[in-house]
Amino acid sequence: MSIHKFVQKYHNMSQNVKAAFWYTFCNILQNGISVITVPIFTRIMSTEDYGIYSIYISWYTVFSVFTTLNLHYYVFNRGMVKYEDDRDGFVSSLQYLGVLSTTIVALVCYVLRGEITSLSGLSGTMFVLMFVELYTIAPMNYWMTRNRHEYKYKEVVIVTIAKTLSVPLLGILLIYIMEDDALARIISTVFITAILGLYFATGIIKKSPKPNIKKYWKYALSFNLPLLPHFLSTNILNQSDRIMISNMVGSSQAGIYSVAYSAGMILLIINTAINQTIVPWLYEKLKNRDYSNISRTFNFLLVIVFTVNIVLILFAREIIFIMAPADYYEAVWIIPPVAASVYFIFLYTLFSNLTYYFEDTKYVSFLSVIIAVLNVVLNYIFIGKFGYIAAGFTTLFCYICFSVCHYIVMRLLCKKHNFYEKIYDMKTIVALSSAMVILSLGIEFLYPYMFIRYLLILAIAVICIFNRKYIVRKFTDVRRKGAL
């Protein structure tokens, strides 16, 4: 009966609600498979090879800002609305622009190939594969984003499942066939991306072989170029730890850090899902000047994020035991600060939501650059002095600073726009944030004492059980309001 009711309810959903459901499924699938496959690859790859692959991903992420210009983000969605009558021409123009920017970056890297390979620690072959992926990832991103915008979720689901499953399966096969495990893992990703990317690129060109390039390039560049410092700084903040650990300590330590980072960032999936759902609700409430219960709703969500992160930190030893063999066990000491960083990522996102609502984003890039530079400087100082584990703590400190800075900017913008309503309960936020820092660092001292950790986990479970009616009621209330 429950299955029948679910099917009936699904059929009664509107097209956009069905699309939202399947896009959430795709997001969970992609992130879930990436987490599930970590224990497999850590057991068939050495810490050094796993570290090299992690460094490849980090450099790829940084280079992608310059090659793709992140055209499939904000400007693409705006263009889908602005140029609704010529979407084919708009998409085709962005594809040509991406090819041009990737070619320019590739030529610069070829001229500086000696310096770049020496700095990155990656081979020339790996960089060739990287640019194959950079050339072909953009058309796939355009196709996926457009289909999401037009609620063509069936095609997106099929492609997502095919890519998400085929990449790790091919990677496992190639690792057993080839001697270079890191190269095998890279080839599996590039091969699948290249096939899909070339297919979508051909389709985009066929639909609009001669688009109005001048018009659409001018619009896209004027919109996205000012945001590039923000995109680049955010990526540096997320990736510089592994790059610097590899250069200053070694690839093996970068691999260990990557496993800990992956474990600590598991809850980022929940953060993203909550924020993507809460933003439309918040903006609608602000638009209608309905400020009732906003702070209570955010307090409840913040407590949920806080609690789940604390439980993750308490289970850190068991999580690393599942995710990797004994060579990676040092990673357990990195999980607490990284998991606490996830809490502060959620927090600064709450503050930045109001910044984007006021459409006054000139401070966003400035803040991102400052924090990224701070992270690099702190990594250089403390990794050299205390070892690679210190990178987890510098990351936590930088995200705390990021949250404080975004709060200050939010307050300045509220004053500038004569907005004096109490949206967030800062007393509760300060109390939870202080508790997160103290507990995340304090729990590290309890890792040798399994009984005490399990006692704390049991206490949290008992509190949740005794308050289950209140929690369920709050969730129901939040969902009824449309916030989740």
Side-chain angles (χ1 to χ4, degrees), residues 39-59:
I40 299 173
F41 287 110
T42 53
R43 284 170 171 81
I44 62 176
M45 299 173 69
S46 67
T47 54
E48 183 176 3
D49 284 326
Y50 193 87
I52 292 172
Y53 174 71
S54 301
I55 295 305
Y56 170 85
I57 296 298
S58 296
W59 280 107

Side-chain angles (χ1 to χ4, degrees), residues 241-305:
D241 294 352
R242 277 156 282 195
I243 293 173
M244 295 185 72
I245 289 170
S246 177
N247 288 334
M248 297 176 67
V249 185
S251 299
S252 294
Q253 286 75 15
I256 296 171
Y257 184 86
S258 295
V259 171
Y261 201 86
S262 298
M265 288 290 173
I266 289 173
L267 298 179
L268 200 57
I269 302 171
I270 299 175
N271 282 14
T272 304
I274 291 175
N275 191 60
Q276 286 177 344
T277 310
I278 204 80
V279 168
W281 171 82
L282 172 64
Y283 287 2
E284 190 67 25
K285 296 276 278 186
L286 294 175
K287 180 183 176 181
N288 296 329
R289 299 178 181 274
D290 180 9
Y291 310 117
S292 60
N293 297 320
I294 292 181
S295 62
R296 290 184 181 180
T297 300
F298 281 120
N299 281 352
F300 175 70
L301 294 176
L302 202 60
V303 169
I304 295 298
V305 172

Side-chain angles (χ1 to χ4, degrees), residues 249 378-391 393-394:
V249 185
L378 292 178
N379 279 340
Y380 180 78
I381 295 172
F382 289 101
I383 291 175
K385 194 170 184 179
F386 298 106
Y388 73 99
I389 293 177
F393 296 92
T394 60

Side-chain angles (χ1 to χ4, degrees), residues 447-477:
Y447 283 152
Y449 309 103
M450 186 175 67
F451 176 76
I452 299 177
R453 285 193 299 114
Y454 280 22
L455 199 62
L456 289 173
I457 294 167
L458 179 62
I460 294 173
V462 169
I463 292 172
C464 291
I465 291 170
F466 273 101
N467 292 277
R468 65 188 183 279
K469 292 183 179 179
Y470 171 77
I471 295 171
V472 171
R473 187 171 67 250
K474 286 293 294 183
F475 263 117
T476 304
D477 187 41

Side-chain angles (χ1 to χ4, degrees), residues 365-382:
S365 291
F366 176 74
L367 287 181
S368 300
V369 171
I370 293 297
I371 298 300
V373 171
L374 176 65
N375 184 245
V376 171
V377 171
L378 292 178
N379 279 340
Y380 180 78
I381 295 172
F382 289 101

Side-chain angles (χ1 to χ4, degrees), residues 367-441:
L367 287 181
S368 300
V369 171
I370 293 297
I371 298 300
V373 171
L374 176 65
N375 184 245
V376 171
V377 171
L378 292 178
N379 279 340
Y380 180 78
I381 295 172
F382 289 101
I383 291 175
K385 194 170 184 179
F386 298 106
Y388 73 99
I389 293 177
F393 296 92
T394 60
T395 297
L396 172 58
F397 179 77
C398 287
Y399 276 118
I400 292 173
C401 293
F402 212 21
S403 299
V404 173
C405 290
H406 270 285
Y407 171 73
I408 294 171
V409 168
M410 182 196 73
R411 293 298 304 160
L412 290 173
L413 292 179
C414 285
K415 186 176 181 180
K416 177 182 176 181
H417 293 273
N418 298 318
F419 186 86
Y420 300 105
E421 299 296 332
K422 184 181 178 182
I423 301 299
Y424 300 122
D425 179 1
M426 289 310 301
K427 289 183 179 179
T428 301
I429 289 174
V430 170
L432 286 173
S433 302
S434 302
M436 173 57 70
V437 174
I438 294 170
L439 289 174
S440 63
L441 301 183

